[in-house]
Amino acid sequence: MSIHENLLGGPPPTHLPAEPGPLEALAQGASPSEVAAKFPTSSLAWAQLADDAFAAGRVVESYAYARTGYHRGLDSLRRAGWKGHGPVPWEHEPNRGFLRALHALGRAAAAIDEKDEAERCSQFLRDSSPTAAGMLG
């Protein structure tokens, strides 16, 4: 038996492919805007844009960036075999852009009093990765 076998019968964890381009660009000091423009399908830069906008008090802008990163992440998850539910582990670093965008979307939704969306995002984050939910708040 494999150590990674799911004994509960649920879907296997989804692991997004590595995206070295966006990670390296951000690490080398490129702005999240530059990275999002160069790598628009990556959730990572969109999540960073959402975090930066939220920290600056630009909540609606944060919401828009987070929604973009969230939808880009859903597209990536589906391409990776995700069927609409199941684990998306925080421990797999390429999943973090999507999980951060999902968290940012829920945070911004709560800030504009979109309660249903905020709760949906919060539940989705907990269901996808309890670790991410704990770490991101």
Side-chain angles (χ1 to χ4, degrees), residues 8 18 20 22 31 39 42 46-47 63 72 84 86 89-90 102-103 110 132:
L8 298 178
S31 74
F39 303 98
S42 175
W46 296 108
Y63 184 97
R72 293 300 193 155
W90 173 265
L102 175 58
H103 166 73

Side-chain angles (χ1 to χ4, degrees), residues 40-90:
T41 62
S42 175
S43 293
L44 181 62
W46 296 108
Q48 187 62 55
L49 284 165
D51 288 346
D52 292 349
F54 194 85
R58 299 186 318 269
V59 176
V60 172
E61 188 178 326
S62 176
Y63 184 97
Y65 286 137
R67 173 122 354 241
T68 301
Y70 165 76
H71 281 287
R72 293 300 193 155
L74 288 177
D75 292 343
S76 296
L77 286 167
R78 288 182 189 110
R79 282 192 302 274
W82 185 74
K83 303 292 187 212
H85 67 285
V88 182
W90 173 265

Side-chain angles (χ1 to χ4, degrees), residues 88-91 99-100 103 125 128-137:
V88 182
W90 173 265
E91 294 79 5
L99 295 166
R100 285 179 54 198
H103 166 73
L125 185 62
S128 297
S129 174
T131 302
M135 292 185 74
L136 298 171

Side-chain angles (χ1 to χ4, degrees), residues 102-115:
L102 175 58
H103 166 73
L105 181 58
R107 177 185 61 203
I112 63 171
D113 207 27
E114 190 180 4
K115 293 177 182 162

